[in-house]
């Protein structure tokens, strides 16, 4: 069985969707679409699901996920979610519908909200990567899997020294493990 290294599954930064930190949310979504159209990767058919935000020197300073984009369409979500500890908590459909009404979410037509959000800078919506979302290119596949499982991440930034050189995605790791499992000969 072939030993898979982090570098084997890393999508180089040059092939990933990126925008500068002065870009708009609209610019970020367009960069994601462009990267998805151009992307072909030997390990996985899955397209990119996030946009990396670069400072003016080209260093990664943040990441915008699909959920961050959707959250950005309604600014009131920031107020609701900050400091409330809602992550990972299950809610009834009735409660979720009452939140739409009580917080007057999406009270403007969606196209107006989209237009307003597209004028906003990506820095307002991006998440700054935590230490748990960064892994060295020399790390083992076991370490990568551990960080994904413990951190519930969809991707990790891959570093060489201090520099981010790419991104490793959960879907690519899962695909590699799946293929390894298929190769196993069970009694």
């Amino acid at each position: 069985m072939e030993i898979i290294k982090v570098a084997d599954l890393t999508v180089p930064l040059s092939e990933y969707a990126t925008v500068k930190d002065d870009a708009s949310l609209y610019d970020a979504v367009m960069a994601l679409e462009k990267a998805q159209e151009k992307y072909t990767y030997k390990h996985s058919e899955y397209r990119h699901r996030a946009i990396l935000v670069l400072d003016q020197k080209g260093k990664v300073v943040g990441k915008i996920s699909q959920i961050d984009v959707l959250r950005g369409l309604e600014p009131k979500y920031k107020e609701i979610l900050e400091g409330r500890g809602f992550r990972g908590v299950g809610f009834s459909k009735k409660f979720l519908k009452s939140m739409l009404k009580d917080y007057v979410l999406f009270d403007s037509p969606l196209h107006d909200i989209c237009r307003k959000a597209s004028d906003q800078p990506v820095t307002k919506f991006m998440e700054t990567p935590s230490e748990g979302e960064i892994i060295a290119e020399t790390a083992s596949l076991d370490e990568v899997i551990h960080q994904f499982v413990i951190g519930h991440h969809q991707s990790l930034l891959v570093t060489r020294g201090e520099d981010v050189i790419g991104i490793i995605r959960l879907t690519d790791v899962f695909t590699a493990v799946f293929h390894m499992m298929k190769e196993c000969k069970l009694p």
Side-chain angles (χ1 to χ4, degrees), residues 99-132:
M99 285 182 75
L100 275 173
K101 183 179 175 188
D102 294 346
Y103 283 94
V104 195
L105 299 172
F106 295 104
D107 61 335
S108 297
L110 189 56
H111 68 274
D112 286 344
I113 293 170
C114 293
R115 182 186 47 75
K116 289 176 191 173
S118 71
D119 294 335
Q120 299 294 320
V122 291
T123 51
K124 189 173 181 176
F125 306 101
M126 74 178 196
E127 297 287 330
T128 303
S130 68
E131 188 176 331

Side-chain angles (χ1 to χ4, degrees), residues 61-105:
V61 294
K63 181 167 61 168
I64 300 174
S65 67
Q66 291 172 332
I67 199 72
D68 294 328
V69 172
L70 295 176
R71 211 179 276 134
L73 297 178
E74 175 49 86
K76 295 174 195 165
Y77 279 126
K78 186 173 178 88
E79 172 190 329
I80 293 169
L81 296 171
E82 279 186 351
R84 304 276 174 133
F86 280 149
R87 187 179 175 133
V89 177
F91 296 111
S92 69
K93 286 183 183 180
K94 182 178 178 183
F95 177 74
L96 292 172
K97 283 186 178 192
S98 74
M99 285 182 75
L100 275 173
K101 183 179 175 188
D102 294 346
Y103 283 94
V104 195
L105 299 172

